[in-house]
Amino acid sequence: ETGVTQSPTHLIKTRGQQVTLRCSSQSGHNTVSWYQQALGQGPQFIFQYYREEENGRGNFPPRFSGLQFPNYSSELNVNALELDDSALYLCASSLKVFTEAFFGQGTRLTVV
Amino acid sequence: EDKVVQSPLSLVVHEGDTVTLNCSYEVTNFRSLLWYKQEKKAPTFLFMLTSSGIEKKSGRLSSILDKKELSSILNITATQTGDSAIYLCDPGNQFYFGTGTSLTVIP
């Protein structure tokens, strides 16, 4: 059983650029959630996908978009990067909502 | 609007102390509450609570849910430096995590 893996682990981008972060869910998990975590804060929910459909969205602007693929892996896309987008981005997968979530190690995004 | 509040925000204790962390929630369609420990990057699962008043225990950690008070506590007895982490509460749907409680255990 493989865990949740995220790529890349670190990334530096310039303001205004676009970025794609990737997440491979744990085997058999059909639900994936994405979070943004600033230093000293708890994870802020961006959105969740269940079987390729968006199942919920947090208070993030439309320039944050996502996708879940038939193999349940997922992408988070952020357009027009701003300095405040600098954070740790976490992906978590689970068998279904309301159960234990398994987190990846995150992608540290720095926008300069 | 759904809400999760954890307290205290941070805590510094000495090894051997006992700590109690709190999580209060207001969520629609509540089903379960989960606790996670975040040491460096990836939070790891500790407990899932669905029934009020039934304590879940794992070694020195224990947790209980009070559905009437819409709250949960996480207790850690005989703390060790390895318990230093951020403890996160999730009222079940993975949509809302509290800001977490940062626990530092001093030798």
Side-chain angles (χ1 to χ4, degrees):
Chain A
E1 173 179 280
T2 57
V4 178
T5 56
Q6 292 186 242
S7 62
T9 52
H10 295 85
L11 200 51
I12 301 175
K13 288 285 192 178
T14 304
R15 192 171 47 182
Q17 284 188 313
Q18 177 264 343
V19 69
T20 297
L21 310 183
R22 293 180 173 84
C23 173
S24 291
S25 303
Q26 186 151 319
S27 179
H29 287 186
N30 55 27
T31 302
V32 64
S33 304
W34 285 92
Y35 304 89
Q36 180 194 69
Q37 188 173 25
L39 211 57
Q41 304 280 326
Q44 297 296 307
F45 174 69
I46 303 175
F47 40 60
Q48 182 181 83
Y49 282 86
Y50 171 69
R51 295 192 176 195
E52 303 177 61
E53 297 286 328
E54 189 177 283
N55 190 46
R57 189 179 178 92
N59 190 25
F60 279 80
R63 59 189 184 84
F64 286 77
S65 63
L67 204 54
Q68 187 181 31
F69 298 101
N71 67 355
Y72 301 138
S73 65
S74 178
E75 282 183 358
L76 163 65
N77 297 291
V78 188
N79 293 322
L81 284 166
E82 300 176 0
L83 298 179
D84 283 350
D85 296 332
S86 296
L88 179 67
Y89 288 84
L90 292 165
C91 161
S93 75
S94 58
L95 274 172
K96 52 186 176 180
V97 188
F98 301 110
T99 60
E100 171 189 356
F102 293 80
F103 285 81
Q105 289 298 313
T107 294
R108 173 71 63 187
L109 173 66
T110 303
V111 182
V112 297
Chain B
E1 185 178 294
D2 292 356
K3 191 163 65 170
V4 182
V5 177
Q6 289 188 247
S7 63
L9 287 181
S10 67
L11 202 49
V12 180
V13 300
H14 289 95
E15 265 192 325
D17 287 350
T18 293
V19 298
T20 298
L21 312 182
N22 299 281
C23 174
S24 298
Y25 61 90
E26 289 178 32
V27 298
T28 52
N29 300 317
F30 176 83
R31 292 194 202 176
S32 58
L33 186 139
L34 296 92
W35 284 95
Y36 292 84
K37 177 183 181 183
Q38 185 176 26
E39 290 183 79
K40 288 186 181 173
K41 288 186 177 179
T44 54
F45 171 76
L46 293 174
F47 297 109
M48 183 166 83
L49 307 162
T50 53
S51 301
S52 206
I54 297 174
E55 185 183 58
K56 289 225 172 169
K57 213 167 158 59
S58 176
R60 297 175 294 101
L61 278 67
S62 63
S63 185
I64 197 161
L65 177 66
D66 186 337
K67 285 187 181 179
K68 194 173 176 185
E69 295 296 325
L70 305 183
S71 67
S72 174
I73 60 170
L74 174 68
N75 282 314
I76 308 175
T77 59
T79 51
Q80 301 171 357
T81 54
D83 296 326
S84 296
I86 298 173
Y87 291 84
L88 299 164
C89 159
D90 160 30
N93 59 8
Q94 301 170 20
F95 287 8
Y96 299 98
F97 280 88
T99 49
T101 293
S102 176
L103 173 65
T104 303
V105 182
I106 300 170

